[in-house]
Amino acid sequence: MLRNDQLAEWDRENFFHASTHLAQHARGETPSRIITGGSGVYIEDRDGKRLLDAFAGLYCVNAGYGQSEITDAIADQARELAYYHAYAGHGTEASITLAKMVLDRAPSHMSKVYFGLSGSDANETNIKLVWYYNNILNRPEKKKIISRWRGYHGSGLMTGSLTGLDLFHKKFDLPLNQVIHTEAPYYFRRADRTMSEAAFTAHCAAELEALIEREGADTIAAFIGEPVLGTGGIVPPPAGYWDAIQTVLRKHDILLIVDEVITGFGRLGTMFASDHYGLQPDLMTIAKGLTSAYAPLSGSIVSDKMWKVLEKGTDEYGPIGHGWTYSAHPIGAAAGVANLKLIDALGLVANAKNVGAYLLDAMRDALGTHPNVGDIRGSGLLCAVELVEDREKHLLFDSSRKVNALIVAEMQSNGVIARAMPQADIVGFAPPFCLSEDEADVVVKATQNAIRTVLG
Ligand code: PLP
């Protein structure tokens, strides 16, 4: 293939990258890496450098790169019927089959799935459905949404508001005033170091309840949360957290939206994190792992309880005023069907559980006593190493040192991709589910070496 030597220049001149320092990139101060191929857990750039992608793109290429079952299904669908819409009762074999496959895997009280394109738009759909639901139930005041600080739910207007990270708010006039945030269930960073895990769980539930009482339960429609905080730091909740939160929500008649965009379809070693934590969602958000990112597709899974009210609404007011040209796009749906079949056929959910446990143990063995490693945590194939200036005093690094970015850059130069999480000195891992134990060892070694190089 002819190599286009102008690509880097065209990139700087024309391409508006997501989540990028725009000025530095335009000035050519940040590297532009052009990815050309991938197979299993590896990607390759156009300079021929092979990298073990221990973040599966953006925690999404769960089945691994280059899976021909999925790419063939996409090609077949494109040839047979590249597009038809899903409005007014239309569907395709792929979209209907995928809806059934999703519901077969979801908790038994879930009823229907609406397909969108991204995690962000699925959460926008969810909030619209919550508002519609309360309007149909004649509760027009019950509209506010509670999210958590450090939650990540997308970067649209509503979903960027739900996201509890400063970078997504400042200078965008967000959050919108219907959104309020409560404490992150982040035990390692609790303000009161003397608190036990159980006491911290009780504290988070009490904070939530105090917020509900301050605002008035009759003004609050829903609570949204990721089962394990993702972009906010890869933080599994303290023991008992979800039971305690669900008790408060039930008491105040507040809906629960479980954002399974990262955790859905196996990342924690169970099909959904809702199974893992005993969650009873009213709505579930899915994306990423639904197609392993081979094509853009997301979903809002609606519970029986909400579905009945949505049906009543359309009997009273006519067809639901919600939909996109690309809702349930057949190419995405075909990718989803092939992906879920492949995940089953290769036993990838079990592999996520087993190799995830292996990775976490190996990371703890390698780094558990390093003076700058404050916490090593994970669940399934999610893992994080949090760095501190002084482990005994629990002193954090000055954020301007960007310690995690330096470590991740060092790892990349040694052939392993991890993610410098955006808010705090955390190195994150979320590899494809086909990761082997040998490949997990490569990731751990690269992390250990990079931490030694950067911090000693
Ligand atoms: N929800 C969660 C938990 C996510 O991690 C993300 C993206 O990382 C989103 C929603 C938004 O998904 P998308 O980037 O596809 O809009």
Side-chain angles (χ1 to χ4, degrees), residues 58-59 117-123 151-156 159 163 225-228 230-231 259-263 285 287-288 297-298 419:
L58 289 171
Y59 354 58
L117 290 163
S118 70
S120 297
D121 74 43
N123 277 327
Y152 188 83
H153 301 290
S155 65
T159 55
T163 288
E226 302 153 87
V228 173
T231 304
D259 185 337
E260 294 243 20
V261 166
I262 293 173
T263 51
T285 322
K288 300 188 188 276
L297 195 75
S298 65
R419 185 170 184 202

Side-chain angles (χ1 to χ4, degrees), residues 19 215 344 365:
S19 280
E215 299 283 332
D344 286 352
D365 286 346

Side-chain angles (χ1 to χ4, degrees), residues 97-318:
T97 305
L98 185 61
K100 173 160 171 44
M101 290 175 81
V102 168
L103 267 302
D104 284 348
R105 286 160 178 74
S108 58
H109 69 287
M110 304 311 282
S111 173
K112 302 283 184 294
V113 56
Y114 170 90
F115 290 116
L117 290 163
S118 70
S120 297
D121 74 43
N123 277 327
E124 297 285 335
T125 296
N126 286 338
I127 304 307
K128 279 185 74 181
L129 295 182
V130 163
W131 286 351
Y132 185 88
Y133 172 87
N134 274 343
N135 285 334
I136 298 306
L137 291 181
N138 215 4
R139 312 196 289 194
E141 303 303 320
K142 203 167 166 63
K143 292 291 163 55
K144 290 179 204 156
I145 314 290
I146 300 181
S147 181
R148 281 104 41 94
W149 292 116
R150 287 187 176 271
Y152 188 83
H153 301 290
S155 65
L157 288 175
M158 171 49 79
T159 55
S161 300
L162 298 172
T163 288
L165 297 169
D166 289 348
L167 190 66
F168 292 83
H169 294 166
K170 68 179 179 212
K171 302 296 172 200
F172 284 115
D173 296 348
L174 298 179
L176 300 175
N177 60 13
Q178 295 96 335
V179 177
I180 44 183
H181 293 90
T182 188
E183 180 150 351
Y186 196 165
Y187 185 60
F188 181 70
R189 294 225 173 181
R190 65 200 178 282
D192 177 357
R193 305 291 311 159
T194 64
M195 256 186 197
S196 68
E197 201 169 319
F200 182 64
T201 290
H203 162 79
C204 291
E207 283 289 303
L208 173 64
E209 187 142 34
L211 178 64
I212 294 168
E213 277 161 8
R214 268 198 314 278
E215 299 283 332
D218 52 347
T219 71
I220 299 176
F223 175 98
I224 184 167
E226 302 153 87
V228 173
L229 285 170
T231 304
I234 305 190
V235 191
Y241 174 82
W242 281 115
D243 286 344
I245 295 296
Q246 289 188 106
T247 303
V248 174
L249 299 178
R250 278 189 209 111
K251 179 171 159 198
H252 295 284
D253 192 16
I254 292 171
L255 297 169
L256 173 61
I257 306 169
V258 178
D259 185 337
E260 294 243 20
V261 166
I262 293 173
T263 51
F265 306 103
R267 186 156 287 283
L268 300 193
T270 50
M271 188 51 71
F272 288 100
S274 293
D275 309 323
H276 185 78
Y277 288 112
L279 287 159
Q280 289 281 309
D282 296 295
L283 290 166
M284 290 167 82
T285 322
I286 52 173
K288 300 188 188 276
L290 175 59
T291 62
S292 287
Y294 278 68
L297 195 75
S298 65
S300 299
I301 315 179
V302 182
S303 60
D304 291 325
K305 168 177 138 185
M306 286 192 71
W307 181 257
K308 287 195 184 81
V309 176
L310 302 187
E311 281 194 355
K312 180 170 178 286
T314 55
D315 275 341
E316 286 173 17
Y317 297 98

